[in-house]
Amino acid sequence: MKFITFTIFLTIFSGLANAQNPLTPNEKIQVIDSISKRLTERYVYPEVAEKMVKQLQQNVQKGNYTNIKDPNAFADQLSKDLLAVCHDKHLAVRYDPQGMIHSETKEDSLANVKRRFEFSRSQNFGFKELKILDGNIGYLNLSSFEDPVDGGATAVLAMNFLSNANAIIIDLRNNGGGATTMVQLLASYLFDNQPHPLTDIYWRPTNSTFQLWTLAYVEGKRMPDVDVYVLTSKSTFSAAEDFSYSLQNLKRITIIGETTGGGAHPVSPVAAANNFIIHIPQGRSISSITKTDWEGTGVKPDIEVTAKDALLTAQIKALEKLSKSNDQANWALIALKAKLHPLTLNLTPYLGTYGDRTISLENGQLYIQKTGNSKYPLVPIADDFFMIEDLPYLRIKMIRENGQITGLSRIYDDGAIVNNPKN
């Protein structure tokens, strides 16, 4: 069984709704009755479903929906009224003029599957960005957790790309959720081949609970001993929270950023009357370790910073740990700290010619240029010490004797040092 957040469906449906015939009073009653029936049968907490149904009936008696004619406005109002009772961010009512959920024929169903697949493929199945940062830190920007049936091959390639990194950063700051089966697949690469418990999922329609464990087999290399940092924001939601919460409780990751959105109820879209859809939270995700969830509270980070500072903070944390035994990491760490805390130096003493290189000052910026080549800005990282952002393998150390600059040293990341005396 897979679960996907309503946010993915809403993205697919966006732009499909258009002006429709006005709803009749009888059609509105049919919609409310069908939604009430489905909530009673499926919503994760029966007592809350009862309260939502009662609220809808009271609103009808008060005439709250009498003047609403537009189907989309009616869906929006129903969503607001239901959320006022349940406060469940997964729940929503939507109008489906194209009948994507209401399909009755095999051909329509296949067309909808193809439409969803093509949308997911156009988003590269959520794998938005993949690269190696300075210090051999792997970085994955994941915008959604797609079903492995569709995105599994991409997931395997991505995780194997990261397999030689000294540390990994997984960016979930703009991830609204998706399939728990993709959570299971990606998490499995971060553990050994012994199954580890991830999430217990209670499913109301069947009144049953099942467990998700890490997989005993994955394609490629596992990374059980690599430090993993997960970035979160207030927009991190649903399956992205499941990934964060499960691995945090297993003490496998360090979460850096903001407390997440707080949606722990797996959801499925259900057809209602007259081409309306209700996205009903029908289950509950529970940590297999703590037996708790994050519904309404969100997942709290281990290191709390603003979302915009989360990546830089994670890089520094990773490099600080790696730098104890890794010169390459220490090299990258110095540069990152300089970006975080820029230095202000008296630049005039550095001007001059050093062999075939000249240091000049333009509009308050120091530049270095080899004769006949391009010039590059020098960024101070310590007294008399500079980096060149466009040439990350090179640093410039000014040589000072008796308080005077007498030359410069070109220091390379492989340990080589070349001195240039001042002319």
Side-chain angles (χ1 to χ4, degrees):
M1 185 184 298
K2 71 174 183 179
F3 306 101
I4 48 184
T5 65
F6 76 82
T7 49
I8 293 176
F9 281 101
L10 295 186
T11 304
I12 298 170
F13 293 154
S14 63
L16 293 179
N18 45 44
Q20 302 293 319
N21 293 328
L23 287 171
T24 67
N26 187 52
E27 287 173 333
K28 284 183 280 187
I29 292 299
Q30 290 173 352
V31 171
I32 290 174
D33 286 346
S34 64
I35 286 176
S36 298
K37 182 175 185 295
R38 284 152 181 75
L39 286 171
T40 300
E41 294 172 344
R42 295 171 178 264
Y43 186 72
V44 58
Y45 296 120
E47 66 279 8
V48 177
E50 184 179 348
K51 292 179 182 178
M52 287 190 283
V53 171
K54 183 177 179 180
Q55 184 64 57
L56 292 181
Q57 293 171 346
Q58 290 177 348
N59 290 348
V60 170
Q61 294 171 0
K62 293 177 181 177
N64 291 3
Y65 307 125
T66 301
N67 296 325
I68 302 177
K69 308 296 184 183
D70 178 72
N72 295 299
F74 186 49
D76 289 343
Q77 188 59 53
L78 290 175
S79 295
K80 292 176 183 177
D81 293 342
L82 293 172
L83 287 170
V85 176
C86 70
H87 308 291
D88 193 323
K89 297 178 182 178
H90 270 117
L91 189 145
V93 179
R94 292 291 178 266
Y95 182 55
D96 175 24
Q98 303 297 321
M100 293 182 71
I101 298 298
H102 296 77
S103 301
E104 297 180 358
T105 68
K106 179 179 179 181
E107 290 75 15
D108 285 343
S109 295
L110 290 174
N112 289 339
V113 169
K114 182 178 180 181
R115 184 182 292 111
R116 287 192 290 269
F117 173 82
E118 288 301 324
F119 176 81
S120 296
R121 187 184 65 81
S122 73
Q123 305 299 308
N124 200 38
F125 305 106
F127 292 86
K128 186 175 181 180
E129 187 176 8
L130 194 64
K131 60 185 177 181
I132 300 297
L133 303 173
D134 291 345
N136 194 30
I137 297 175
Y139 173 80
L140 168 61
N141 185 348
L142 190 67
S143 61
S144 64
F145 287 83
E146 298 293 328
D147 189 336
V149 171
D150 299 329
T154 305
V156 169
L157 290 173
M159 298 309 285
N160 279 277
F161 175 88
L162 297 171
S163 65
N164 293 312
N166 293 333
I168 295 172
I169 296 173
I170 300 177
D171 193 343
L172 302 181
R173 287 176 293 180
N174 294 303
N175 191 309
T180 53
T181 43
M182 180 60 84
V183 170
Q184 180 186 38
L185 175 59
L186 296 183
S188 298
Y189 278 92
L190 306 178
F191 293 88
D192 57 30
N193 59 6
Q194 297 301 312
H196 297 266
L198 292 172
T199 305
D200 296 346
I201 297 181
Y202 168 73
W203 195 238
R204 162 78 194 289
T206 57
N207 193 31
S208 61
T209 300
F210 67 94
Q211 290 186 321
L212 283 177
W213 295 66
T214 58
L215 302 172
Y217 170 79
V218 294
E219 293 184 48
K221 182 180 176 182
R222 292 177 181 269
M223 298 161 279
D225 301 317
V226 177
D227 288 331
V228 180
Y229 302 85
V230 172
L231 311 185
T232 60
S233 75
K234 297 173 184 176
S235 299
T236 306
F237 196 63
S238 194
E241 295 178 282
D242 196 347
F243 182 90
S244 304
Y245 197 69
S246 297
L247 271 62
Q248 184 186 54
N249 286 323
L250 287 167
K251 303 187 186 305
R252 181 62 190 90
I253 61 173
T254 299
I255 300 178
I256 299 176
E258 300 170 345
T259 298
T260 61
H265 294 159
V267 65
S268 291
V270 179
N274 301 321
N275 283 340
F276 280 78
I277 298 168
I278 179 168
H279 299 270
I280 303 180
Q282 301 183 55
R284 178 184 172 209
S285 296
I286 310 164
S287 167
S288 298
I289 303 300
T290 65
K291 304 304 178 184
T292 57
D293 67 27
W294 61 94
E295 177 66 28
T297 61
V299 182
K300 300 186 184 305
D302 299 296
I303 301 172
E304 188 169 2
V305 298
T306 62
K308 67 180 180 63
D309 292 331
L311 176 55
L312 185 58
T313 302
Q315 287 180 267
I316 290 175
K317 290 295 179 183
L319 290 170
E320 283 178 339
K321 186 172 182 179
L322 292 169
S323 65
K324 297 175 183 178
S325 59
N326 187 307
D327 291 339
Q328 184 186 36
N330 189 57
W331 179 275
L333 178 61
I334 293 172
L336 274 181
K337 286 187 172 179
K339 290 182 181 179
L340 189 63
H341 305 290
L343 294 177
T344 300
L345 301 177
N346 178 12
L347 304 178
T348 305
Y350 304 120
L351 304 181
T353 302
Y354 302 80
D356 59 353
R357 285 167 170 79
T358 301
I359 294 181
S360 59
L361 184 64
E362 298 179 21
N363 299 320
Q365 174 63 59
L366 212 59
Y367 290 89
I368 187 169
Q369 181 177 24
K370 181 180 179 180
T371 303
N373 290 4
S374 300
K375 60 183 177 183
Y376 297 96
L378 291 174
V379 178
I381 53 180
D383 288 342
D384 299 339
F385 200 22
F386 298 85
M387 69 177 182
I388 304 173
E389 289 189 287
D390 292 336
L391 304 175
Y393 56 85
L394 175 63
R395 301 280 164 83
I396 302 297
K397 175 67 175 176
M398 308 306 295
I399 301 171
R400 187 183 290 269
E401 297 177 357
N402 299 320
Q404 300 295 316
I405 300 297
T406 60
L408 63 80
S409 294
R410 306 197 315 271
I411 304 174
Y412 294 86
D413 60 2
D414 62 0
I417 299 177
V418 179
N419 292 324
N420 288 66
K422 189 172 184 180
N423 295 352

